Amino acid sequence: MNSKIPALIAEKLQIAERQVSNTLQLLNDGATIPFISRYRKERTEGLDEVKVSDISDEYKRLHEIEKRKETILSTIEKQGNMTDELRDQIEAIWLATELEDLYLPYKPKRRTRAQIAREKGLEPLAKIIMSQRLSPEAEVKAKAEAEAETKTKTGSGLSGDASPEKTSVSCVLNKVAKRYLSDEVATVDDALAGARDIIAEWVNENRTARNIVRSVFAREAVISSCVIKGKEEEGDKYRDYFGMSEPLRRTSSHRLLAMRRGEAEGFLRVTISPDEEHVLERLYRFFAKVDSDSGEQVRMAVTDSYKRLLKPSIETEFATLSKEKADKEAIHIFEENLRRLLLSPPLGHKRILSIDPGFRTGCKVVCLDEQGNLLHNETIYPHPPRQERAGAIKKIAHLVEQFDIQAIAVGNGTAGRETEQFVQNIRYDRKVQIFSVSESGASVYSASKTAREEFPLHDVTVRGAVSLGRRLMDPLAELVKIDPKSIGVGQYQHDVNQSSLKQALDRTVEMCVNRVGVNVNTASKYILTYVSGIGSVLAQNIVNYRTEHGMFRSRRSLLDVPKMGVRSFEQSAGFLRIQGAENPLDNSAVHPESYDVVERMAKDLDCSVSDLLADESLRKKIVLDRYITETAGLPTLQDIMAELGKPGRDPRETIKMFEFDPSVKTLSDLREGMILPGIITNVTKFGAFVDIGIKESGLVHISQMVDRYVGDPTEIASVNQHVSVKVLEVDEVRKRVNLSMLV
């Protein structure tokens, strides 16, 4: 690793260089981000998972630049153009744009107009013109010849429109240009045009020129979109962008992504451009030093360079940068939504009756035990067209009694509200909680390879109903089986960089799984895959070992699992829980490497570890400074004490009951000014979508969230948040509802 990298990362992230160096060393040694942020706080000086992730990402970016430098250095060396000064310049650069600017003059090119001009021998002429000062001898000789020619014309009655001074200067340039005429360069105009092509390339490859154009783009560039002729009707959904123009630096991520999608689909033409005259004026001042014919030739070359080379290049650069920025914002929103969804409160291990509602095809009903195993399934038809309501009531009541059901989960899709009200009106022989469960992504799961592996003998309707019930029981354990992009909590997720999106969402899932912890004796291979230090192969091995040998009785017994080496155990053990283990610490977030610390605490207090866990008064007697070692500093000891007070406790909130307004079932039931209960289903850069119990979700625009400026809606709203909203506007034609949280 380049010794400069830690300092560069530290400067960018505004943290100490030693923190960066220690974190990078841990990452390079194979430690995972969850493990580092949770169990290596002494090394990182308390960096959280976000900072550790930022260090990892920045290191990857700089490492890619380092690899690019190696390629560039090698290429220039082979060309024979390398100098010590150039090498030093390349090695000192750590910005991709600056590096590519420096490399541009040496970058292998296709046969350009400038190259063709060079082949015709016009580069010396280009250098003379670019210098904008002809040799004194040439000026004197050309001026004398011009004056003689003028006298001859005057004596013969001929006259010219140009002044003597202008004519003499023109002649100087013409005389010089004539020296470069050849079989391939027939006229002075051809010679000058070829020279301008070479100058245009020099201008394009000039780092200062490119930075001049960049600076104007950054301050003044306007992004514009217009409809492609003949696509007006077909691209009607992009009507808002048919003639749109706004400053690029103020364009919101969702608007930019919408324009780029319209462009990709062939309905819009999108351009980014600053004021052309302003850019050219600044370039002229830099390159055209004198007001002369050679200066005019330079200005002509600069204009050509900007329009033909510089502007397209910088426009592409800014299009890429603005897209990357929009992607980053959209991915951030998606990450936050996914995190909130994955950390939704679980009902816990209850016996659940789950219903995937429907009208014509009926409602698929499944019964699950406390571990989510399928006990029974069948279909009822309480709604039109079959309307077998009495039989359905009898059947549901019987299933609740037969399978000792404690809660009912009802999907919130088609017929969801009707089915929820149907089961609420049934009289049961016990208290049964009823919950509405989001169906987002359920159909994707039910048709997936994962679902087929779990339920090879059942169809997609049964699989979907089972997934809904398991979501109520433990949202995290069930949602990890679904591609995060299919869960439906993103913004333009199909338009952002798919590789970056996948990396960010996978990391989010990993963070959530390790934050909550996993019961190794009940966990599926799908959730085990996301545990720190455990991949898909080891996850399957754990499940296979559990099936063959029975429940794990201790964390140490995990070392008997094939391919569970010392490193994997170190990375994963703290996140795996074993309920009912002989050592109570096995059901906590205390890492096995710290067990001896807890045992010394108990010994000093003349009690057992179990007593220490159960008695707060004993824990209050512990003086942490006594237990500080080289490996266990105060941060680790504080985490241990926090965990001793709540061993194995789920960090997620407790699930809350929720009911929609029973008088609102369809769009036509809404009236402006109504105050309704709702659940936020998705947060975007421009606002939040809220389920108010009808088919269509309402939109709370960002300006209607709180009575102040909001830059990031995720600071105010989160997925699954219960809110009260006011109906501002109902558009029954477009099926849109505008809401406000300013109730």
Side-chain angles (χ1 to χ4, degrees):
M1 178 176 67
N2 190 303
S3 59
K4 296 179 181 178
I5 286 181
L8 292 166
I9 296 175
E11 182 180 3
K12 181 170 183 177
L13 300 182
Q14 293 297 293
I15 54 180
E17 185 177 341
R18 62 181 178 277
Q19 291 176 286
V20 175
S21 296
N22 289 340
T23 301
L24 289 176
Q25 185 177 349
L26 288 165
L27 288 167
N28 290 333
D29 287 343
T32 66
I33 292 172
F35 177 79
I36 293 170
S37 59
R38 180 67 176 81
Y39 296 113
R40 291 295 179 264
K41 291 181 179 178
E42 284 79 12
R43 294 284 302 279
T44 68
E45 298 180 33
L47 294 180
D48 62 18
E49 57 199 24
V50 175
K51 282 295 185 185
V52 176
S53 296
D54 289 343
I55 290 172
S56 176
D57 291 341
E58 188 63 15
Y59 173 72
K60 289 175 184 176
R61 185 186 73 81
L62 293 175
H63 183 60
E64 287 301 313
I65 290 178
E66 197 170 27
K67 286 166 56 179
R68 179 62 176 157
K69 285 183 182 182
E70 291 173 3
T71 300
I72 289 172
L73 288 168
S74 174
T75 302
I76 298 176
E77 286 276 13
K78 290 176 182 177
Q79 293 172 349
N81 293 321
M82 182 60 69
T83 63
D84 291 341
E85 182 183 1
L86 180 57
R87 182 184 296 278
D88 291 342
Q89 285 181 307
I90 292 172
E91 290 179 347
I93 290 175
W94 289 98
L95 286 176
T97 52
E98 289 185 9
L99 183 62
E100 296 302 326
D101 281 355
L102 185 60
Y103 178 48
L104 192 57
Y106 308 96
K107 192 173 185 178
K109 305 177 182 69
R110 57 183 175 81
R111 196 161 178 265
T112 63
R113 284 166 46 174
Q115 183 60 35
I116 294 171
R118 287 190 185 94
E119 293 170 0
K120 294 178 180 179
L122 295 174
E123 187 165 25
L125 176 60
K127 289 179 178 179
I128 292 171
I129 294 172
M130 192 64 173
S131 71
Q132 297 172 71
R133 61 177 187 275
L134 297 173
S135 66
E137 295 81 3
E139 287 187 11
V140 171
K141 184 177 179 181
K143 188 172 183 179
E145 291 175 354
E147 288 174 350
E149 187 175 345
T150 301
K151 289 178 181 178
T152 302
K153 289 181 178 179
T154 302
S156 61
L158 299 174
S159 64
D161 296 328
S163 65
E165 286 128 1
K166 185 170 182 183
T167 302
S168 65
V169 174
S170 296
C171 287
V172 170
L173 187 57
N174 287 345
K175 293 291 185 182
V176 173
K178 284 179 180 178
R179 301 176 193 164
Y180 298 93
L181 300 185
S182 64
D183 293 340
E184 293 181 304
V185 184
T187 66
V188 167
D189 285 343
D190 291 341
L192 294 175
R196 289 196 303 270
D197 286 342
I198 296 172
I199 294 171
E201 187 170 272
W202 288 340
V203 170
N204 179 56
E205 294 175 351
N206 184 280
R207 293 170 66 188
T208 301
R210 297 183 74 82
N211 285 330
I212 286 172
V213 178
R214 279 194 191 100
S215 67
V216 180
F217 261 81
R219 291 195 311 272
E220 303 176 10
V222 171
I223 185 168
S224 304
S225 65
C226 61
V227 64
I228 292 177
K229 190 174 181 180
K231 298 282 188 175
E232 293 84 356
E233 186 175 342
E234 190 179 354
D236 186 65
K237 64 181 178 180
Y238 296 106
R239 181 165 297 279
D240 291 345
Y241 304 98
F242 279 5
M244 197 281 298
S245 184
E246 64 183 1
L248 178 64
R249 57 191 175 90
R250 295 180 185 170
T251 303
S252 61
S253 62
H254 65 275
R255 287 173 66 80
L256 190 141
L257 290 171
M259 282 185 274
R260 291 303 181 190
R261 178 191 286 181
E263 181 182 44
E265 293 179 359
F267 301 122
L268 300 177
R269 181 173 290 107
V270 181
T271 58
I272 298 174
S273 181
D275 179 77
E276 185 176 287
E277 289 185 6
H278 186 195
V279 182
L280 289 174
E281 180 186 345
R282 290 194 59 185
L283 290 173
Y284 291 157
R285 285 204 303 267
F286 183 72
F287 286 105
K289 305 297 184 183
V290 295
D291 184 16
S292 63
D293 277 1
S294 58
E296 180 60 29
Q297 291 293 317
V298 171
R299 280 190 287 273
M300 291 170 65
V302 166
T303 302
D304 173 53
S305 179
Y306 175 71
K307 292 181 178 180
R308 181 168 58 87
L309 302 173
L310 267 172
K311 182 180 181 297
S313 173
I314 304 301
E315 180 179 3
T316 298
E317 186 179 301
F318 270 75
T320 300
L321 290 173
S322 61
K323 175 65 164 52
E324 287 176 353
K325 181 183 176 183
D327 283 2
K328 187 175 181 179
E329 291 183 7
I331 290 172
H332 165 70
I333 294 284
F334 205 147
E335 283 181 289
E336 188 61 22
N337 286 344
L338 180 62
R339 186 181 69 82
R340 297 294 183 98
L341 185 63
L342 292 174
L343 296 178
S344 297
L347 182 62
H349 296 292
K350 308 286 186 182
R351 296 177 75 87
I352 293 175
L353 184 148
S354 178
I355 305 176
D356 187 358
F359 288 116
R360 182 182 58 81
T361 57
C363 299
K364 181 59 67 175
V365 180
V366 300
C367 297
L368 310 175
D369 67 12
E370 293 90 342
Q371 305 305 325
N373 298 312
L374 177 61
L375 302 174
H376 175 81
N377 77 90
E378 63 178 278
T379 305
I380 59 173
Y381 298 89
H383 310 304
R386 292 180 62 164
Q387 195 90 31
E388 297 173 0
R389 193 173 182 84
I393 291 174
K394 183 177 179 181
K395 176 57 67 176
I396 294 295
H398 174 69
L399 291 175
V400 168
E401 180 181 2
Q402 179 183 359
F403 293 101
D404 196 20
I405 296 300
Q406 298 166 283
I408 296 176
V410 181
N412 69 344
T414 303
R417 281 296 303 281
E418 292 81 358
T419 303
E420 185 180 357
Q421 291 178 347
F422 163 71
V423 297
Q424 285 174 340
N425 292 328
I426 298 175
R427 185 172 297 175
Y428 303 103
D429 66 342
R430 72 199 63 208
K431 183 178 180 180
V432 178
Q433 293 178 294
I434 299 169
F435 297 89
S436 176
V437 180
S438 171
E439 292 187 11
S440 294
S443 60
V444 175
Y445 162 77
S446 61
S448 69
K449 179 182 178 183
T450 300
R452 291 195 300 273
E453 288 177 352
E454 288 193 279
F455 303 102
L457 303 179
H458 297 285
D459 64 17
V460 292
T461 60
V462 174
R463 298 169 192 160
V466 170
S467 182
L468 294 174
R470 288 178 172 177
R471 285 191 191 194
L472 176 60
M473 190 180 296
D474 189 341
L476 178 59
E478 191 62 21
L479 290 172
V480 295
K481 302 174 185 177
I482 304 171
D483 183 346
K485 290 189 298 181
S486 302
I487 295 177
V489 291
Q491 169 191 339
Y492 292 98
Q493 60 260 39
H494 300 295
D495 301 298
V496 301
N497 182 287
Q498 295 302 292
S499 176
S500 298
L501 178 64
K502 177 173 172 47
Q503 179 182 340
L505 297 186
D506 284 348
R507 183 177 292 177
T508 300
V509 177
E510 181 186 34
M511 298 297 187
C512 291
V513 168
N514 289 284
R515 178 182 174 186
V516 172
V518 172
N519 184 334
V520 74
N521 283 322
T522 60
S524 68
K525 68 176 182 181
Y526 309 105
I527 195 166
L528 284 169
T529 299
Y530 286 101
V531 173
S532 168
I534 298 179
S536 57
V537 173
L538 187 50
Q540 184 64 63
N541 288 352
I542 291 173
V543 172
N544 294 343
Y545 188 91
R546 188 176 68 199
T547 302
E548 184 178 350
H549 297 88
M551 299 287 190
F552 291 97
R553 298 301 178 188
S554 71
R555 278 173 168 165
R556 287 293 172 187
S557 63
L558 286 164
L559 287 166
D560 297 329
V561 175
K563 296 189 181 300
M564 176 65 85
V566 174
R567 170 65 71 176
S568 296
F569 181 80
E570 177 192 54
Q571 298 294 307
S572 64
F575 304 106
L576 298 173
R577 309 282 187 268
I578 299 180
Q579 295 180 0
E582 182 178 342
N583 187 336
L585 295 178
D586 283 351
N587 191 37
S588 74
V590 177
H591 197 282
E593 66 187 10
S594 298
Y595 282 9
D596 63 326
V597 176
V598 181
E599 289 164 0
R600 280 192 286 122
M601 290 176 175
K603 183 179 179 181
D604 291 347
L605 292 170
D606 195 22
C607 69
S608 67
V609 171
S610 296
D611 293 335
L612 200 58
L613 291 169
D615 193 337
E616 184 179 358
S617 63
L618 286 171
R619 296 195 299 273
K620 286 183 177 180
K621 296 178 182 179
I622 297 173
V623 180
L624 293 183
D625 290 347
R626 295 178 183 174
Y627 302 97
I628 293 176
T629 66
E630 290 183 4
T631 55
L634 197 57
T636 292
L637 294 173
Q638 289 171 337
D639 283 348
I640 289 173
M641 292 304 297
E643 189 60 26
L644 293 180
K646 52 176 184 60
R649 186 180 302 170
D650 196 316
R652 293 171 288 184
E653 296 178 357
T654 304
I655 195 169
K656 297 177 182 177
M657 296 288 291
F658 177 87
E659 290 186 8
F660 292 111
D661 188 320
S663 66
V664 175
K665 299 176 183 177
T666 66
L667 194 66
S668 59
D669 294 329
L670 297 178
R671 298 290 181 271
E672 291 183 12
M674 292 178 75
I675 307 295
L676 301 170
I679 300 176
I680 295 177
T681 58
N682 196 9
V683 181
T684 68
K685 191 67 177 175
F686 52 86
F689 289 95
V690 180
D691 183 357
I692 53 176
I694 62 176
K695 183 179 180 181
E696 299 79 12
S697 290
L699 173 64
V700 178
H701 189 266
I702 190 171
S703 62
Q704 292 294 324
M705 287 184 164
V706 288
D707 193 15
R708 59 181 173 81
Y709 172 77
V710 177
D712 183 356
T714 61
E715 297 175 1
I716 307 298
S718 61
V719 172
N720 280 349
Q721 180 181 343
H722 295 182
V723 293
S724 291
V725 292
K726 179 192 288 187
V727 179
L728 297 181
E729 182 183 9
V730 181
D731 186 340
E732 293 197 44
V733 177
R734 302 173 75 184
K735 298 187 182 300
R736 292 184 178 178
V737 183
N738 290 330
L739 305 170
S740 173
M741 288 167 56
L742 300 174
V743 178

